[in-house]
Amino acid sequence: MLYSEIQKVDPEVYESLKNELQRQRNSLEMIASENFTSPAVMEAQGSIMTNKYAEGLPGKRYYGGCEFHDQVEQLAIDRAKALFKADHANVQPHSGSNANFAAYFSVLEAGDKILGPLLPHGGHLTHGSPVNFSGRLFKFSQYTLNQDTQRFEPDDILEIARREKPKLILTGYSAYPRKIEFEKWRAVADEVGAVLMADIAHIAGLIAAEQHPQPFPHCDIVTTTTHKTLRGPRGGIVMCTEKYAKQVDKTVFPGFQGGPLMHAIAGKAIALKEAQSAEFRKYAEQVVKNAHALADELMSNGFNLVTGGTDSHLMLVNLESKSITGKEAEVLLEQVGITANKNMVPDDKQSPFVTSGIRLGTPAITSRGMKADQMRQIGEFISRTMNYRNDEEQKRKIKNEVLEICKAFPLYPDF
Ligand SMILES: *Cc1c(COP(=O)(O)O)cnc(C)c1O
């Protein structure tokens, strides 16, 4: 039986794990940054690789007994390089935030200027928020969506870059549904002599499966998480051109991390192998198709989508026209078994705790095998939930319909 050792040792934690499995199975996970990793990746994460210190890099460790850890880490490095066409990869960052920390300090000194996206326009906390290390240690200037196109327009960025003269320009987002044309960003960076960095945390799986343009060879340094569309263990990777390779390795260790999480690195190696497969390519194609189908259904039910749609795995719904806040929508959707998160929309009049939008993503529900038909049903559920927000009977009905879909697409059926 699954988790039988935990059940013996710690019944309280076991109870929570059991309930969490039921929650994941019986609701629709539509948080754009989440996914369901494979049983193989989870096995690696629960494996004996957790028992070892392996400070250093394959072949250059500060501890003995690392022969097999070297093999596993080298597999992860080689697979990351192949998948993203990178000269160099460091697979040790514990998270996406750590990967960004490493990237900044590999090419900049504290106090240097970065040009990055504004948080409510799709950026991440590590892109210069004052409550984050990034905003405290670097000078940020921020670019925004173009008011007419609601997209990031490289021409606008160039104008700001000429004025602000940043040392680093950052592209890559948490809530932007459109493709990034990296070559245009390269031209902007070259124009002002800045380093070009891409944070592909959200879109790494789409890039791996050629559903989104590759950042290399256009970017100098690229960071990612491994647990979003890439569907691996929680963690980060930094990749770069040969020029920054030594600096990146030194910044990760001994710069600011100690021993790498070798069980997570084993999981990264496996996830990167999975991401090279024909099945994964089909999966990523379906993620994008599903996002299209859901976006179309929502728009035909009168929802406004920021940028008017999506060509990735996510969409940002502006709820102002529906007279409901992001916070209220998040709670309502949870009541019917749909998990999503409130999100700021451009020029949001609400606070970050309330917001006027919700972000919806298709990576996790696509991992369960759902297709366009289910997306249209789900779009209709979302619409009905908003329209009947005070009708408990309707909401109960929708919750049952959600449960039916979940049962038809079982999650981890062998557990
Ligand atoms: C999720 C995300 C991160 C941070 O990843 P964590 O693993 O949560 O630290 C960084 N950048 C972007 C754009 C993200 O979406």
Side-chain angles (χ1 to χ4, degrees):
M1 184 177 174
L2 188 71
Y3 307 139
S4 56
E5 285 302 315
I6 301 175
Q7 187 177 19
K8 271 187 257 167
V9 173
D10 191 337
E12 289 162 290
V13 167
Y14 175 75
E15 197 56 29
S16 297
L17 286 180
K18 219 176 55 178
N19 291 336
E20 172 61 9
L21 178 59
Q22 290 316 313
R23 188 195 68 84
Q24 291 189 14
R25 281 179 170 161
N26 296 333
S27 59
L28 292 169
E29 182 49 74
M30 300 193 69
I31 293 176
S33 50
E34 294 190 9
N35 213 330
F36 300 118
T37 198
S38 71
V41 168
M42 283 191 275
E43 257 183 27
Q45 294 209 91
S47 75
I48 36 82
M49 299 302 275
T50 195
N51 292 336
K52 183 103 200 72
Y53 255 111
E55 283 177 356
L57 288 165
K60 292 173 275 184
R61 303 287 188 186
Y62 292 83
Y63 289 83
C66 289
E67 182 185 349
F68 305 112
H69 292 76
D70 284 0
Q71 289 170 3
V72 165
E73 185 168 352
Q74 195 60 52
L75 282 171
I77 291 169
D78 293 343
R79 288 170 184 168
K81 283 165 61 175
L83 211 45
F84 297 103
K85 305 185 190 336
D87 291 349
H88 182 77
N90 185 302
V91 298
Q92 293 187 0
H94 302 332
S95 67
S97 297
N98 281 21
N100 283 349
F101 189 102
Y104 295 152
F105 278 99
S106 296
V107 298
L108 303 172
E109 296 294 333
D112 282 349
K113 190 179 265 184
I114 300 174
L115 177 58
L118 192 68
L119 187 66
H121 286 226
H124 185 258
L125 282 169
T126 54
H127 299 173
S129 161
V131 300
N132 182 260
F133 81 85
S134 53
R136 297 179 64 183
L137 295 177
F138 297 96
K139 267 195 232 109
F140 270 83
S141 36
Q142 262 120 359
Y143 59 83
T144 54
L145 294 167
N146 180 291
Q147 286 212 323
D148 300 324
T149 65
Q150 292 195 317
R151 301 188 187 211
F152 293 120
E153 300 292 351
D155 285 346
D156 302 348
I157 316 301
L158 178 58
E159 203 182 301
I160 305 172
R162 283 205 171 111
R163 190 172 69 232
E164 298 287 338
K165 299 188 177 46
K167 279 206 177 153
L168 185 145
I169 295 176
L170 175 58
T171 177
Y173 315 98
S174 297
Y176 184 61
R178 297 300 181 177
K179 290 195 168 112
I180 304 166
E181 296 168 291
F182 294 107
E183 71 278 6
K184 291 190 177 163
W185 289 81
R186 177 78 258 167
V188 172
D190 283 345
E191 193 73 28
V192 297
V195 171
L196 181 61
M197 170 172 161
D199 176 350
I200 60 167
H202 259 265
I203 52 177
L206 304 184
I207 292 170
E210 293 182 2
Q211 301 302 305
H212 187 286
Q214 283 274 6
F216 289 114
H218 309 294
C219 297
D220 299 290
I221 192 157
V222 173
T223 56
T224 186
T225 61
T226 45
H227 50 274
K228 299 183 184 176
T229 51
L230 197 55
R231 209 164 65 179
R234 306 199 80 77
I237 299 178
V238 187
M239 293 170 282
C240 61
T241 56
E242 206 50 57
K243 181 176 175 187
Y244 298 105
K246 279 214 172 69
Q247 208 45 49
V248 162
D249 286 344
K250 276 201 295 196
T251 307
V252 174
F253 173 83
F256 85 112
Q257 284 189 176
L261 309 177
M262 292 308 300
H263 54 299
I265 289 175
K268 288 175 193 174
I270 295 165
L272 290 162
K273 183 184 164 110
E274 289 174 345
Q276 291 168 339
S277 67
E279 287 93 323
F280 189 83
R281 178 183 288 253
K282 263 205 231 135
Y283 159 70
E285 280 171 13
Q286 192 64 48
V287 166
V288 176
K289 276 189 208 157
N290 281 353
H292 267 290
L294 179 63
D296 285 348
E297 180 67 27
L298 288 171
M299 289 189 292
S300 66
N301 278 288
F303 285 92
N304 279 329
L305 266 53
V306 176
T307 80
T310 177
D311 38 42
S312 71
H313 62 299
L314 68 78
M315 66 215 68
L316 194 53
V317 186
N318 186 330
L319 296 164
E320 276 162 351
S321 64
K322 294 274 178 182
S323 310
I324 189 166
T325 65
K327 188 179 169 189
E328 288 166 333
E330 185 185 302
V331 171
L332 273 174
L333 289 174
E334 183 144 18
Q335 287 170 358
V336 300
I338 296 173
T339 315
N341 64 290
K342 62 180 184 256
N343 209 101
M344 302 279 275
V345 296
D347 307 313
D348 208 315
K349 289 170 201 76
Q350 305 284 353
S351 80
F353 298 104
V354 178
T355 81
S356 301
I358 45 168
R359 188 183 64 162
L360 295 170
T362 54
I365 50 176
T366 306
S367 287
R368 297 180 75 149
M370 295 180 196
K371 300 225 161 67
D373 279 349
Q374 287 74 46
M375 299 307 123
R376 285 187 281 273
Q377 275 181 284
I378 293 167
E380 196 266 329
F381 294 161
I382 293 172
S383 176
R384 241 189 312 147
T385 305
M386 301 294 137
N387 292 341
Y388 292 92
R389 63 191 76 160
N390 297 318
D391 183 337
E392 296 308 316
E393 184 54 37
Q394 265 294 337
K395 285 190 284 182
R396 245 194 313 278
K397 240 180 97 194
I398 299 167
K399 190 177 176 145
N400 280 331
E401 291 173 87
V402 165
L403 207 54
E404 259 171 56
I405 294 194
C406 291
K407 294 254 151 72
F409 295 88
L411 177 68
Y412 299 128
D414 301 330
F415 278 19

